[in-house]
Amino acid sequence: LTFATFVALCFCAEEGGLPIAPLPRFTCNPYEVDPNAAAPTNVNQLAPHNIDVIMSMGDSMTAAFAATSGKLLDVPLLPREDRYLSYTSGGGSMQYTINNFLNLYNRNIEGSSSGQTLPIDALEIQGHHIEPIMTGVVGLNAALSGAKIQDISQEIDFLVEQLQTTYKDTVDFENSWKVATLLIGANNLCVACHNNTSDSPETYAALLNSSIAQMQSSIPRVRFNILPMFNISQVYYWSRTNKYCTRVWNLFDECPCLSSKDSTEQDRKIVNDYAVQYRQKIDEVASYWQAKNLSTFSVTVQPFTGSLKIINGALTSDFDCFHPSELAHAWLGAGVW
């Protein structure tokens, strides 16, 4: 099987259908590096061992909210953000994450997340999210639970602050090569059926472009990876096949255009249509930046996430049947790599 087919089988199994395939072995072996070799001066010449810093942006998915939580009323009652296993910056032992893969080539990579955080970042004060306070645990995973595309500017500000304070003695801000990964848009899609201009594909594209420009002007030497949004409405259809998930979705209006008792098939169609348009806008914005042919900044779209099919409950959180589970994070890390 090709890797794409392998992943498709994993993500497409219905309850009682095909079992989830085991994670593929990590077979990319470390290679010898000449300690006297000069560091690349062009972003297009980077090898894994050249990456010194890993940074992440996004929402509760990238914060790994409730990835290992039990069902409602299980202890602990308040689910955690399991940042240590987040598919991007997770630094937990034996976790399939981009950080851990890169760590095989550069043992001194900075920015990984090492533990759990409370989801207080989902709270807002005058439109501004409360930022994670456990910066030693968070690392450079700036993802905020509840974030929309409108909040990425705040996350970039957080990264700049952390690089210039917490990491000032371990990261050469001007010269270290950094990789930044962004997955954003689920919370915009969750209210797409309300037809607000703030969630339109055009607004998404404009804010994505301005966020990239902010990153390019404020943090030197960055490879910027964008993960396209998948069709999140798939999770709704899975939830309808499970009594616990149905009860939880009816109790919490977590994603109004999907989980609201008044939501309709037309609402879910709008969510899907917007997701398609978001992906198109991502490609357009990325092409704009790629055409600049900058030597120390690049924008790359990782297409893996755009076609994910999530119809198996083992890939969603036991707590809310919505967020990615620990297994899903592992597959995301493997797929992006």
Side-chain angles (χ1 to χ4, degrees):
L1 294 176
T2 65
F3 185 73
T5 305
F6 194 62
V7 171
L9 287 176
C10 170
F11 276 86
C12 290
E14 296 182 7
E15 184 177 31
L18 292 173
I20 297 175
L23 286 162
R25 292 182 57 195
F26 186 81
T27 57
C28 301
N29 295 319
Y31 47 80
E32 291 187 8
V33 177
D34 182 356
N36 298 316
T41 57
N42 190 296
V43 67
N44 297 311
Q45 298 171 340
L46 296 179
H49 72 275
N50 297 129
I51 303 300
D52 300 307
V53 180
I54 186 165
M55 306 181 294
S56 305
M57 297 163 290
D59 53 32
S60 52
M61 286 193 286
T62 300
F65 174 77
T68 63
S69 296
K71 289 181 166 53
L72 189 66
L73 300 183
D74 284 355
V75 177
L77 294 177
L78 181 62
R80 306 301 198 255
E81 295 168 334
D82 298 306
R83 293 178 186 257
Y84 71 94
L85 60 77
S86 174
Y87 64 95
T88 50
S89 296
S93 176
M94 304 301 292
Q95 300 293 334
Y96 267 48
T97 69
I98 302 303
N99 172 80
N100 285 349
F101 298 153
L102 287 172
N103 186 259
L104 293 173
Y105 303 95
N106 182 355
R107 294 293 182 181
N108 298 315
I109 193 168
E110 298 282 354
S112 67
S113 302
S114 59
Q116 297 174 311
T117 51
L118 292 171
I120 60 172
D121 48 296
L123 303 175
E124 296 184 44
I125 299 176
Q126 295 181 339
H128 192 82
H129 281 263
I130 296 177
E131 294 182 346
I133 57 176
M134 300 174 64
T135 54
V137 171
V138 169
L140 294 173
N141 182 348
L144 298 167
S145 288
K148 292 184 173 184
I149 185 66
Q150 285 82 357
D151 300 304
I152 299 306
S153 177
Q154 178 183 345
E155 296 187 15
I156 295 173
D157 287 340
F158 174 83
L159 292 173
V160 173
E161 179 184 5
Q162 291 305 303
L163 285 168
Q164 294 181 340
T165 56
T166 305
Y167 291 90
K168 65 183 178 62
D169 295 326
T170 55
V171 171
D172 184 339
F173 183 75
E174 295 294 335
N175 298 305
S176 293
W177 284 107
K178 310 160 191 75
V179 62
T181 301
L182 171 66
L183 173 62
I184 194 67
N187 291 308
N188 295 89
L189 290 175
C190 277
V191 291
C193 63
H194 298 166
N195 296 317
N196 294 322
T197 304
S198 59
D199 304 301
S200 71
E202 292 73 25
T203 298
Y204 182 91
L207 291 174
L208 175 62
N209 186 64
S210 64
S211 295
I212 295 173
Q214 179 184 355
M215 174 72 77
Q216 191 268 331
S217 65
S218 58
I219 303 180
R221 293 196 165 196
V222 175
R223 176 187 170 99
F224 195 110
N225 288 326
I226 307 176
L227 307 184
M229 275 307 308
F230 48 91
N231 288 8
I232 62 172
S233 65
Q234 300 168 77
V235 187
Y236 166 82
Y237 296 107
W238 159 253
S239 75
R240 299 296 97 177
T241 69
N242 181 287
K243 292 182 179 178
Y244 168 81
C245 294
T246 300
R247 289 197 297 269
V248 168
W249 276 51
N250 289 341
L251 183 63
F252 298 112
D253 196 9
E254 192 165 19
C255 185
C257 292
L258 302 182
S259 58
S260 170
K261 293 180 180 179
D262 298 326
S263 64
T264 65
E265 278 299 309
Q266 179 61 26
D267 292 333
R268 290 182 278 279
K269 181 179 184 304
I270 292 172
V271 170
N272 286 341
D273 290 345
Y274 267 47
V276 171
Q277 294 178 65
Y278 280 12
R279 292 194 290 271
Q280 293 171 343
K281 294 299 183 182
I282 285 173
D283 288 337
E284 292 173 9
V285 172
S287 295
Y288 166 79
W289 282 94
Q290 290 162 0
K292 290 178 177 289
N293 197 28
L294 302 172
S295 62
T296 60
F297 186 84
S298 70
V299 176
T300 303
V301 178
Q302 304 290 351
F304 169 70
T305 54
S307 57
L308 289 184
K309 306 296 181 186
I310 306 177
I311 314 176
N312 191 303
L315 297 167
T316 60
S317 166
D318 288 343
F319 174 73
D320 62 5
C321 309
F322 183 81
H323 287 87
S325 65
E326 180 176 8
L327 178 60
H329 276 276
W331 268 108
L332 284 168
V336 174
W337 178 264

